[in-house]
Amino acid sequence: MTATQSMEEMIRQAMVLDQSSLAGWLLILPILICFLFGAGLLMLRRQMSWHPPVAVSGLVLLLLADLALFVEVYRNGTISMAMGGWRPPFGIVFVADMTSVLFLSVAGFVGLACGIYAIASIDEEERRYGFYPFLFILMAGVSGSFLTGDIFNLYVWFEVMLIGSFGLLILGSEREQLDGATKYCFLNLIGATVFLLTIGYLYGIFGSLNMADIAVKAAAFEGNGTLLTVGALFLVSFSMKAAAFPLNFWLPASYHTPRFVVSALFAGLLTKVGIYALMRVQLMLFPPERVGLGILIAWMAGLTMMAGALGALAQSDLRRMLNYVVIAGIGTILAGMSIPPFLESTSAIVTTGAAGVLREGSQQGNGPMLITLATGLAGSIYYAIHSIVVMTALYLAAGVAAFRNGSSSLHEMGGLWRRNPVFSAMFLVLFLAVAGLPPFSGFWPKMLLVRASLAAELPWLAAAILVSGLLLTIACMRAFALAFWRPLPALAAAQDVGEARQIAEETFRAPPPGTPLALVPLVALCVFVVVAGIWPEWLAEFTFQAAIDLLQPSGYLSSVLGEVAP
């Protein structure tokens, strides 16, 4: 073989010489849309009136791109694209499987909802400070985190996401916002440092940062304590991002400080990116080590649920209460990730609507063990999707309620049911959904998680799920009774008719221009919550398929590496 032939052979081995398919370009379209519209809005900084329509148009295109990618993966399976033509594991690769596109599509949905809501809630001065460009930077980071197939690139997208979140957090430059931003930045700095050090350790072990390549090579390290250390470090880093106990204290100290629409974005998306990263790393890269850490994750889940529920019960401010509800939801998601492998009868776990997916999983040679794991993990993914939507909706609805009462303090709110019965009914639906009560979207994943916990002989974890749900129900009904059902306290305490009229004029002021538009995304989010509760089969099918894709990543490995690895 001549030197020229040898060089050509090396190039063929290292480079992807074929043209990328249209499906491959769909992979980078969401990120491309975010950066193009973010940069375009910066160039339109002197035309503030253009920002809302241009931004909403971009968010609509983003959602359409996300849904197109979802349909492609649902029909044809996992797809990947090598950046720069470098064949994995030499270059960066983007990958979309059912788990990533499910999270991606819901993120695009709530991003559009927040963009529309911001038309009514973000004034021109805050737009001038860069609300919409920061929103697109945040969405780029979220989209990149869900689609990357390289673990260092995951760190990069985390940082892109943090740039957008920092800008949104201090929008308005109020003292309380700067205080919350300081705590948020400090804790994220620690988490990012741990993440980066762990990546360096991982590269020293495998000589690669491609997730598929690591998943294949990690099989040779089974039983080696080194990977257990790596798994524990990733658990610490991602748990801090997701606000899991005992690293959850930063969230209540910062999420109540920005604008309500910003809190909605953070509660819906940022913590769930940490959860997604934890699922991807622990379940696909280091499944034996995840088993070793399972009991630790289970205790974290139980304590996170209880800390969130008790914290919500103790609050006297609506938005601070929602901060703890977010934490309780993170614990519920972690519960499904902690279910250890065991053998169990499949008939006790098959659920309506997901039976076809379960039977398909049981035919893949792993039997009941795969089914049981898929049940717990599918419950976690289902609850994560539910939590993204319902927490976004709750923060947006809390913003409307606080505006209409002039305060978010439960001591000062009241009378909303009499004044706004339709809006109050939507808020009640969201409260019931977040508490996990039927017939809304939070009920079905909790049922799956309780079943899986009992089948795994973890009755205390099932009890923690139920007790935290009971405490959240009490906290939500207390907040609803104070903020919506009872009369407005200031009006009830008025000493004469003249004082009562003055209080009414100040409190029941006319809504600002565009406020009816703020209710449009709320209605859309509430419809999702109701439909996913009354008709859960469609979402159950997607989440079970996503769970099986994570537990049996042969399609992911084949798409990236070109061969089915053992």
Side-chain angles (χ1 to χ4, degrees), residues 132-308:
Y132 283 112
F134 280 127
L135 172 59
F136 276 102
I137 292 174
L138 176 71
M139 294 304 298
V142 170
S143 302
S145 298
F146 290 149
L147 292 175
T148 185
D150 181 275
I151 202 159
F152 181 78
N153 210 30
L154 178 63
Y155 167 79
V156 172
W157 289 118
F158 270 30
E159 295 304 300
V160 172
M161 183 173 60
L162 289 175
I163 292 171
S165 64
F166 291 158
L168 293 172
L169 193 61
I170 62 171
L171 201 68
S173 302
E174 298 173 2
R175 181 183 181 88
E176 189 180 37
Q177 291 176 317
L178 296 176
D179 178 66
T182 301
K183 298 171 184 175
Y184 179 80
C185 293
F186 179 72
L187 267 297
N188 274 283
L189 177 63
I190 295 175
T193 302
V194 175
F195 188 14
L196 190 59
L197 290 174
T198 309
I199 290 174
Y201 188 23
L202 190 69
Y203 186 76
I205 296 171
F206 293 106
S208 173
L209 293 175
N210 181 276
M211 293 186 191
D213 192 44
I214 292 172
V216 173
K217 293 178 178 178
F221 286 77
E222 187 170 346
N224 191 319
T226 302
L227 294 191
L228 187 63
T229 303
V230 174
L233 289 172
F234 277 127
L235 178 61
V236 170
S237 176
F238 296 143
S239 296
M240 185 175 293
K241 184 64 184 172
F245 184 89
L247 304 171
N248 60 298
F249 51 88
W250 61 269
L251 192 150
S254 58
Y255 272 27
H256 68 284
T257 59
R259 300 292 181 257
F260 277 94
V261 65
V262 176
S263 295
L265 280 167
F266 286 10
L269 296 179
L270 297 194
T271 52
K272 307 313 180 295
V273 172
I275 285 292
Y276 169 83
L278 191 60
M279 287 180 178
R280 179 67 69 189
V281 170
Q282 294 283 355
L283 294 167
M284 192 181 84
L285 270 60
F286 310 123
E289 288 69 31
R290 201 277 317 167
V291 174
L293 295 170
I295 191 64
L296 175 60
I297 298 174
W299 278 105
M300 287 175 59
L303 292 171
T304 304
M305 283 186 281
M306 297 309 298

Side-chain angles (χ1 to χ4, degrees), residues 48-99:
M48 286 296 108
S49 61
W50 291 18
H51 275 219
V54 171
V56 170
S57 300
L59 292 169
V60 169
L61 287 176
L62 177 62
L63 178 57
L64 292 176
D66 294 341
L67 292 176
L69 186 58
F70 179 90
V71 171
E72 177 66 27
V73 171
Y74 181 72
R75 288 178 175 176
N76 301 315
T78 304
I79 57 175
S80 62
M81 182 178 185
M83 298 296 102
W86 288 99
R87 191 180 301 277
F90 303 109
I92 293 172
V93 63
F94 281 81
V95 191
D97 63 356
M98 182 54 69
T99 308

Side-chain angles (χ1 to χ4, degrees), residues 361-497:
S362 65
Q363 294 169 359
Q364 293 176 1
N366 292 291
M369 182 183 295
L370 174 63
I371 293 176
T372 304
L373 282 168
T375 301
L377 182 57
S380 288
I381 296 173
Y382 197 128
Y383 197 88
I385 299 304
H386 148 82
S387 183
I388 290 173
V389 175
V390 78
M391 291 314 307
T392 302
L394 272 172
Y395 275 94
L396 297 182
V400 176
F403 172 79
R404 293 184 174 179
N405 267 126
S407 172
S408 62
S409 171
L410 295 176
H411 295 307
E412 301 175 13
M413 300 178 75
L416 282 170
W417 182 268
R418 182 180 296 273
R419 287 178 280 140
N420 305 102
V422 175
F423 169 70
S424 301
M426 288 194 298
F427 216 120
L428 181 60
V429 166
L430 296 173
F431 267 157
L432 295 175
V434 83
L437 297 178
F440 304 111
S441 58
F443 172 73
W444 300 106
K446 283 197 173 184
M447 184 188 71
L448 286 175
L449 292 171
V450 169
R451 277 188 165 186
S453 299
L454 292 175
E457 299 181 356
L458 293 173
W460 60 270
L461 184 59
I465 296 171
L466 295 175
V467 171
S468 68
L470 175 62
L471 294 176
L472 284 177
T473 303
I474 296 171
C476 291
M477 291 305 99
R478 169 180 171 268
F480 188 83
L482 293 175
F484 291 82
W485 195 256
R486 69 171 178 176
L488 188 70
L491 193 61
Q495 298 180 357
D496 53 49
V497 176

